Amino acid sequence: MAGIIGYGAYIPRYRIKVEEIAKIWGADAPNYKRGLGLEEKSVPGPDQDTITMSVEAAKKALRRAGIDPREIGAVYVGSESHPYAVKPSGTVLAEAIGATPDVHSASFEFACKAGTEAMFVCLCQVESGRIKYGLAVGADTSQGAPGDALEYSTAAGAAAFIFGRDHVVAQVDETYSFMTDTPDFWRREYQHYPRHAGRFTGEPAYFKHIRGAAQGIMKKAGLQPKDFHYVVFHQPNGKFPLNVGRQLGFTREQIETGRLVPKLGNTYSGSSPMGLTAVLDVARPGDRILLVSYGSGAGSDAFIFTVTGRIDEVRDKAEHTRALLDGHKVYIDYGTYAKYRGKILKAE
Amino acid sequence: MANPARYWREIPQRYRLEAGKCRTCGTVFFPPRLVCAQCRSRSFETVRLSDEGTLVTYTVIRVGPSQFADQTPYAVGIVELDGGVRITAQIVDCDFEKLAVGLRLRVEFRRIQKQGEAGILCYGYKCVPA
Amino acid sequence: MRDVAVLGVGLNSKWGELWEMSLRDIFVEAALNALDDAGVDRVDSIVVGCMTSGLFVGQEHLGSLMSDYLGMNPVAATRVESACASGGAAFRQGFLEVASGAADIVLVGGVEKMTDVGGDEATYALSAASDMEYEAYHGITFPGLYALVARAHMHRFGTTREQLAHVAVKNHRHGARNPVAQYPYEITVEDVLASVMVADPLRVLDCSPITDGAAAAVLCPVETARKLSKKPVVKVLASAQASSTIALHSRKDLTWFESTAEAAQKAYRMAGKRPEDIDVAEVHDCFTIAEIVVLEALGLVERGKGGQAAASGMTALGGKIPVNTSGGLKSKGHPVGATGVAQVVEITRQLRGESGPRQVEGARVGLTQNMGGTGGSSVVHIFETV
């Protein structure tokens, strides 16, 4: 059976606290923190982008997979902040890890579920036998408009997964996708910041699709929430994954390991994939994991994984995601943040 | 500063630290060369440099060239990668006060330059504290 | 090889931001001054030293341009380039033409017009002396490269920030007596230490400026000089050049300039002189640290002790071995391609006894050292009155 044979994550070192952003806009920081279930978020340095983070996450995945990168048949990066509008992030990534030239690539886009789309397609290619190994990355350096609610949560990070049939670390038991046309959050071409429809982004968007995908996959697999050791949901803020988990019948313990958002922020296409890496860092052989992403527009991809005995051999071959999150942090102020994120620009 | 062809030509070096090792005397050159400066041999094999090293000397650039004007101040140093080859690279994710001769470093993939708002993006190696 | 003499020398009346003067105007003015000083109006060959007129003003083919504007056509004229050592390298080529018998009277001129571009473009043009793909690509600047050398020298030998400042202070004290100098005024150690940081630990006042200027010299066989000139004859005792790696990171020793040491050794041998015999020297102080390391590489001070030389007064006028009596690159200015030839102008005048308030009493043997990039090339000449 096919599945994940190597995984890795990357988080930039910089952080900004909710208080620091709230101070600038005259917002009530304690209320925001409570309402969003969020304390701080990661900020990419001025020399970092979706491509650079993908490369570092992919290198860790390669260390854990222990394969020759030349045997990778497809490299897909899912993001809503690809550095180029035309020229796939995967070309640079594939070149950097030495997977070229016998390799497929394309950029994936579906708001925050571009990463899990890339994972699904790699899985299918491996299962079909067309490729031996496939590398899928979910990465973003998401942007929120100054003063908008999203500014508190939009963060940066990457998670990379190598799929294959041999040396599997987490086999894929089932997949399912639930998608409708729902205009909750979007960005038109040439616009710098996305727009959203306020409270409409909740129940008719996030909650409906996550529930649809979770219930759909559990029905397909004949499983119930109690059959899972871990569940990882897309994490736009600290509250939504807890609420949808409660609605579906999952416990807080099942959700907590993969819920990175309170200290990380929403890494968009990296969100649920990074949560998955944090779970793999501590999961035991035999543990069953449910992963449900969400991308505005809208849809959710669901995967059911079963961890194999090989996890114990590979998990320590690269830094654990929680260690990346909690270690080496550098806090910056709003001015530095605005400069790094290009919100203030010098005159030409 | 970097037109696409000039940038692309150095990709194996910039992305993968590919160097040339003289088949006759074993000296490693980065970037690779056509003739060995030690023994004049013209036969080389491709090797990859280590991605770990030590800081040999450093400075903090406060007045930078136009390509890098928005990044100042930034640290640059000469790093001796394990195995002996030295490279010039920016040192990032490091407080300036922590810069010191002998600091252990790791190579990370970063964006080095942007050719304005419409030109190509140029990637390559920088170093972070190990 | 024939013995070669410097028959005449000349500079512009002033170096600095010469807004009214174009590249060709600047060169011609200095060249005419040298030709007048030599008492000749015809030459057999012209050698032009210039680092990068292409990047600064978009003009190449300087040999043809200068020969034309000097009214010297159809004489052979060539441009020589070796980054900041272009002037010295041009002088060496001129010397070889006369020494070999290929030409009897040669005009050598060095020039750079740096102010027709903005600061950013000037920085970029200068960075072309480094490894563009493996040094400049990463954002290192020239002050940055020399800062790397400074940090290494301070780490190994305990050279201090104050010692670096003393080099600038000394050179300004000399330059204050030089009417051509771009910055003919004194500065203090405090001024240096308070100036804006450019690349840690080097500050603005550790760095030579952006300058427009030219310098020229006329060379001929010693016998011809004796016939033509009433002035003391200054013979070129030695002319030597050496190369080192283009990138600083490829050097074996970051606290040393191998090309300078190599060229110096060849020069001393050719001249039959030792460092102790030098009465006055003009060296390449593009940055304060450069003068310190160069003095060690020239054997004028003991290894590691370069920092003390300026601070102790050893290299000041009146000291044991006066260095950069012209004010050096720091105070006189550094129109890149002109510097190497301007050093020859200063030494020639010193050896002739024409240096007025900057005169080193009884100077008979002088040395010039001109360097490209971070020491990728060095040119050393030794002169003596005969």
Side-chain angles (χ1 to χ4, degrees):
Chain A
M1 283 212 69
I4 294 171
I5 70 167
Y7 69 93
Y10 181 84
I11 306 176
R13 279 205 187 178
Y14 302 104
R15 304 283 183 274
I16 187 167
K17 294 192 196 238
V18 167
E19 286 89 346
E20 189 55 38
I21 302 174
K23 181 170 78 178
I24 300 298
W25 304 112
D28 183 340
N31 246 306
Y32 262 88
K33 287 171 76 165
R34 239 191 332 271
L36 293 173
L38 185 58
E39 291 173 41
E40 59 192 42
K41 65 172 190 175
S42 66
V43 181
D47 58 354
Q48 298 185 295
D49 59 24
T50 287
I51 289 177
T52 66
M53 295 192 304
S54 296
V55 170
E56 290 298 319
K59 284 182 177 170
K60 294 187 184 123
L62 271 168
R63 273 211 286 283
R64 288 189 170 115
I67 59 163
D68 182 341
R70 284 172 298 189
E71 295 197 287
I72 294 176
V75 170
Y76 298 126
V77 178
S79 177
E80 51 183 281
S81 53
H82 287 289
Y84 288 97
V86 176
K87 187 175 183 305
S89 300
T91 57
V92 180
L93 169 57
E95 197 72 71
I97 62 171
T100 53
D102 306 318
V103 62
H104 275 270
S105 186
S107 277
F108 277 62
E109 176 270 308
F110 196 141
C112 301
K113 84 171 180 82
T116 53
E117 278 294 358
M119 288 165 71
F120 176 73
V121 172
C122 275
L123 171 72
C124 293
Q125 291 184 325
V126 167
E127 284 177 338
S128 77
R130 286 261 179 200
I131 68 176
K132 188 171 184 193
Y133 303 117
L135 168 62
V137 182
D140 254 304
T141 52
S142 346
Q143 282 270 41
D148 183 83
L150 287 178
E151 198 184 17
Y152 294 91
S153 57
T154 50
F161 301 93
I162 298 177
F163 286 83
R165 281 183 177 281
D166 46 77
H167 303 100
V168 172
V169 159
Q171 107 190 353
V172 177
D173 298 323
E174 191 57 84
T175 66
Y176 177 67
S177 195
F178 181 94
M179 188 269 282
T180 69
D181 181 7
T182 304
D184 59 317
F185 169 106
W186 64 92
R187 183 168 65 79
R188 294 281 296 281
E189 187 102 67
Y190 310 122
Q191 292 295 301
H192 192 66
Y193 296 112
R195 297 234 183 150
H196 59 89
R199 289 191 56 79
F200 181 66
T201 62
E203 183 48 48
Y206 177 91
F207 289 95
K208 171 178 167 185
H209 293 78
I210 294 229
R211 279 198 311 265
Q215 285 160 351
I217 199 174
M218 283 193 282
K219 183 160 173 222
K220 239 177 134 186
L223 294 169
Q224 294 167 36
K226 65 176 171 58
D227 297 322
F228 296 90
H229 296 85
Y230 300 99
V231 60
V232 181
F233 296 115
H234 172 57
Q235 311 164 27
N237 57 61
K239 291 289 186 63
F240 275 22
L242 295 178
N243 291 346
V244 79
R246 211 179 9 254
Q247 289 173 11
L248 287 164
F250 289 92
T251 67
R252 178 118 186 195
E253 288 69 41
Q254 287 171 303
I255 300 169
E256 204 56 21
T257 306
R259 193 179 73 109
L260 304 173
V261 62
K263 292 280 186 64
L264 176 59
N266 177 5
T267 55
Y268 281 42
S269 301
S271 184
S272 52
M274 288 176 78
L276 176 61
T277 66
V279 165
L280 291 172
D281 283 338
V282 299
R284 309 258 61 139
D287 283 352
R288 192 181 277 116
I289 306 169
L290 172 64
L291 171 71
V292 188
S293 65
Y294 172 72
S296 289
S300 282
D301 298 328
F303 294 77
I304 295 176
F305 299 96
T306 299
V307 177
T308 72
R310 192 156 176 269
I311 189 70
D312 291 325
E313 285 167 49
V314 313
R315 79 170 100 241
D316 294 331
K317 290 202 165 151
E319 227 174 335
H320 290 197
T321 303
R322 283 274 171 194
L324 289 173
L325 185 57
D326 298 331
H328 325 294
K329 293 194 283 193
V330 175
Y331 288 100
I332 58 176
D333 61 21
Y334 192 87
T336 306
Y337 164 75
K339 180 181 156 187
Y340 282 1
R341 305 271 41 221
K343 295 183 181 205
I344 44 177
L345 297 166
K346 289 188 192 170
E348 277 306 302
Chain B
M1 211 216 217
N3 97 337
R6 259 177 77 186
Y7 165 71
W8 159 84
R9 195 172 293 127
E10 313 294 322
I11 278 178
Q13 282 67 56
R14 300 209 197 292
Y15 289 11
R16 300 192 295 270
L17 292 177
E18 281 184 15
K21 182 174 174 173
C22 174
R23 283 204 164 92
T24 308
C25 73
T27 309
V28 178
F29 294 95
F30 180 79
R33 297 178 180 217
L34 296 173
V35 58
C36 177
Q38 289 299 118
C39 73
R40 318 285 307 150
S41 161
R42 300 185 194 182
S43 174
F44 293 90
E45 59 173 315
T46 303
V47 296
R48 282 225 206 163
L49 301 180
S50 165
D51 59 6
E52 293 185 327
T54 311
L55 190 58
V56 174
T57 182
Y58 60 91
T59 182
V60 176
I61 305 286
R62 294 190 185 264
V63 179
S66 53
Q67 294 282 0
F68 296 86
D70 288 342
Q71 297 180 39
T72 55
Y74 54 92
V76 186
I78 290 178
V79 179
E80 184 165 313
L81 298 174
D82 295 345
V85 173
R86 291 179 170 180
I87 58 172
T88 297
Q90 284 190 27
I91 316 298
V92 291
D93 283 3
C94 183
D95 289 336
F96 297 148
E97 300 76 57
K98 301 234 168 62
L99 291 168
V101 174
L103 185 66
R104 284 294 293 172
L105 300 166
R106 197 167 41 81
V107 171
E108 231 181 65
F109 190 83
R110 293 292 176 105
R111 192 178 64 227
I112 310 290
Q113 293 184 26
K114 271 204 280 205
Q115 304 304 309
E117 288 308 306
I120 59 167
L121 299 169
C122 300
Y123 294 92
Y125 48 81
K126 293 194 185 184
C127 290
V128 299
Chain C
M1 300 240 283
R2 302 192 290 186
D3 288 339
V4 181
V6 181
L7 184 61
V9 292
L11 295 166
N12 307 99
S13 51
K14 192 85 177 128
W15 274 15
E17 291 175 317
L18 307 178
W19 300 112
E20 317 276 319
M21 297 178 75
S22 69
L23 172 72
R24 65 191 81 169
D25 293 338
I26 294 169
F27 183 88
V28 169
E29 182 187 56
L32 289 176
N33 285 338
L35 290 164
D36 289 347
D37 185 54
V40 301
D41 61 6
R42 289 258 149 246
V43 298
D44 299 326
S45 164
I46 299 173
V47 186
V48 180
C50 180
M51 174 176 166
T52 177
S53 51
L55 289 176
F56 282 123
V57 301
Q59 177 71 57
E60 305 284 23
H61 213 184
L62 295 193
S64 167
L65 177 65
M66 301 315 180
S67 171
D68 186 352
Y69 274 71
L70 277 169
M72 298 279 195
N73 282 333
V75 146
T78 321
R79 155 131 164 255
V80 168
E81 182 272 322
S82 192
C84 329
S86 295
F91 185 80
R92 175 166 163 71
Q93 294 306 308
F95 163 83
L96 290 171
E97 287 190 26
V98 177
S100 67
D104 289 322
I105 309 228
V106 175
L107 169 69
V108 172
V111 63
E112 210 78 47
K113 172 76 185 169
M114 300 174 75
T115 58
D116 277 352
V117 292
D120 283 350
E121 286 128 307
T123 303
Y124 174 72
L126 292 170
S127 75
S130 69
D131 184 334
M132 293 308 276
E133 308 299 346
Y134 292 91
E135 290 183 302
Y137 176 77
H138 290 276
I140 192 91
T141 57
F142 255 89
L145 285 166
Y146 275 91
L148 294 178
V149 172
R151 170 86 38 214
H153 202 271
M154 289 159 100
H155 182 80
R156 180 154 166 201
F157 299 115
T159 302
T160 67
R161 229 335 328 195
E162 285 71 23
Q163 287 170 337
L164 294 178
H166 276 287
V167 174
V169 170
K170 164 188 72 84
N171 289 346
H172 269 266
R173 196 176 316 120
H174 296 166
R177 304 179 189 195
N178 185 349
V180 175
Q182 182 172 9
Y183 300 130
Y185 51 73
E186 300 205 23
I187 58 174
T188 64
V189 168
E190 290 69 40
D191 289 334
V192 180
L193 298 183
S195 64
V196 170
M197 186 73 84
V198 174
D200 222 305
L202 299 181
R203 297 175 177 269
V204 162
L205 290 180
D206 286 297
C207 309
S208 55
I210 301 284
T211 320
D212 298 331
V218 178
L219 297 167
C220 67
V222 165
E223 292 319 308
T224 308
R226 286 200 211 282
K227 273 189 241 151
L228 288 184
S229 179
K230 294 191 176 45
K231 303 180 189 184
V233 175
V234 175
K235 176 177 162 184
V236 184
L237 277 190
S239 173
Q241 185 168 338
S243 307
S244 181
T245 65
I246 181 89
L248 192 60
H249 58 244
S250 302
R251 307 278 166 79
K252 290 195 183 61
D253 186 340
L254 294 171
T255 65
W256 186 245
F257 294 135
E258 202 180 292
S259 66
T260 294
E262 179 69 29
Q265 281 198 34
K266 285 201 277 200
Y268 289 130
R269 215 166 26 241
M270 188 171 162
K273 297 282 181 199
R274 296 157 310 165
E276 306 84 85
D277 300 323
I278 308 299
D279 295 322
V280 59
E282 286 278 302
V283 310
H284 200 82
D285 63 317
C286 47
F287 299 91
T288 49
I289 182 64
E291 179 169 317
I292 287 174
V293 179
V294 162
L295 292 179
E296 294 177 14
L298 288 173
L300 293 175
V301 308
E302 206 186 304
R303 187 77 203 275
K305 297 266 174 48
Q308 300 166 13
S312 67
M314 178 184 158
T315 50
L317 263 172
K320 181 161 161 256
I321 163 70
V323 172
N324 286 336
T325 55
S326 63
L329 281 58
K330 177 70 195 73
S331 163
K332 170 162 55 56
H334 182 35
V336 182
T339 285
V341 184
Q343 292 173 330
V344 173
V345 173
E346 180 71 5
I347 293 300
T348 299
R349 290 187 174 155
Q350 283 285 357
L351 297 189
R352 285 177 181 172
E354 291 174 358
S355 298
R358 308 201 299 283
Q359 185 65 51
V360 174
E361 290 308 317
R364 292 194 52 96
V365 181
L367 177 148
T368 61
Q369 176 265 355
N370 189 208
M371 192 162 71
T374 53
S377 60
S378 285
V379 186
V380 175
H381 287 89
I382 298 178
F383 303 82
E384 186 173 36
T385 34
V386 294

